[in-house]
Amino acid sequence: DAQVGTVEVSSGGTVHFADFAGVADAPYDAMAVGTVSGSGELFLLDSVTGRIVWRRAMPGQLAYPTSKDTDFLRSGARVFAEVPGRTRPDRPAGDVLEALSLADGATLWSRVLTGRKRTTLLADGLVLRLTLESQGAARQFRLDGFGQVTGVHVLSLDLPPCQSAKLYGVGAYVVVYAYGSTLNDGTPQDVRLWTLDLAAGELREHPAPPVASPGVVTALQDPPCLLL
């Protein structure tokens, strides 16, 4: 029979449980990462035993973390947290990307990053991050890759100028979707698609989509395809 237990996480702050992307090794696949708004804490809850495995300060000194401004991605025995910076003079000057051990919450590596984040995902041993670097008549986006184990910056690719861009994980592939402009009703125009070739360190452009103004409906993992 199912049993209900109670565990005290916070006596005053608001608790949020993070939406995870990626896959963790056992036993961490049965655990949940949560944040406490107000005290700025991050914790790992064992959902089987109801035990708090560890708790620590949020990366980037973020006192009021929410699922809207913080991304959590997990791989194996690590969780990667990306939190916004620049909100206070005593905070880091850019977004913070930090790798944490799921075993004890220790920081494995940490980087302060530039650019305005658009998408972050995990692929082929890398943390991939698409950012808006500059605005104007045509916006400039850049795709960077950091080693999951070391945090070393190993990939940097500039996209052709466009109005908007986003990364999608499609099975074992990473696809970049971008468009150059929109109609008054928001319909995308001048749509372009690339697949990231990590071995060559380059973007391989696809032929023009078969429909005039395709938007992305969803990304499927099996079979790997992007529905437009």
Side-chain angles (χ1 to χ4, degrees):
D1 293 338
Q3 294 183 343
V4 177
T6 302
V7 56
E8 182 175 347
V9 175
S10 170
S11 59
T14 302
V15 175
H16 300 271
F17 283 96
D19 293 327
F20 259 141
V23 179
D25 292 340
Y28 309 114
D29 56 347
M31 299 185 185
V33 166
T35 61
V36 182
S37 183
S39 61
E41 289 181 293
L42 181 69
F43 66 90
L44 184 69
L45 172 68
D46 187 328
S47 56
V48 175
T49 66
R51 180 176 63 92
I52 300 294
V53 181
W54 50 258
R55 62 194 308 156
R56 51 157 289 169
M58 273 292 296
Q61 307 170 38
L62 187 63
Y64 292 90
T66 70
S67 56
K68 293 182 179 180
D69 57 21
T70 305
D71 288 335
F72 292 97
L73 305 97
R74 59 182 176 178
S75 177
R78 299 179 180 87
V79 60
F80 303 91
E82 184 172 7
V83 300
R86 301 182 297 272
T87 57
R88 294 202 321 246
D90 61 334
R91 292 272 305 283
D95 292 352
V96 174
L97 176 62
E98 194 160 306
L100 311 176
S101 167
L102 282 169
D104 57 10
T107 298
L108 302 174
W109 55 262
S110 182
R111 298 186 67 101
V112 178
L113 305 175
T114 62
R116 296 175 60 186
K117 180 195 66 176
R118 285 295 178 261
T119 319
T120 304
L121 56 80
L122 305 179
D124 201 22
L126 298 180
V127 182
L128 297 174
R129 184 175 185 262
L130 181 69
T131 55
L132 173 62
E133 293 297 313
S134 63
Q135 300 193 66
R139 298 177 178 180
Q140 184 64 57
F141 292 83
R142 191 180 73 220
L143 175 59
D144 291 291
F146 306 89
Q148 292 182 18
V149 175
T150 63
V152 172
H153 189 197
V154 296
L155 178 73
S156 183
L157 297 171
D158 290 322
L159 271 62
C162 57
Q163 181 175 328
S164 183
K166 188 174 180 179
L167 290 181
Y168 290 90
V170 184
Y173 305 95
V174 176
V175 175
V176 182
Y177 169 90
Y179 56 81
S181 61
T182 58
L183 300 178
N184 290 335
D185 62 0
T187 303
Q189 302 291 292
D190 305 319
V191 170
R192 301 176 71 178
L193 293 167
W194 296 267
T195 294
L196 175 61
D197 185 337
L198 285 170
E202 62 185 23
L203 294 170
R204 298 192 181 278
E205 187 166 9
H206 291 263
V211 290
S213 304
V216 175
V217 177
T218 189
L220 298 181
Q221 305 305 310
D222 188 16
C225 62
L226 197 64
L227 298 184
L228 303 175

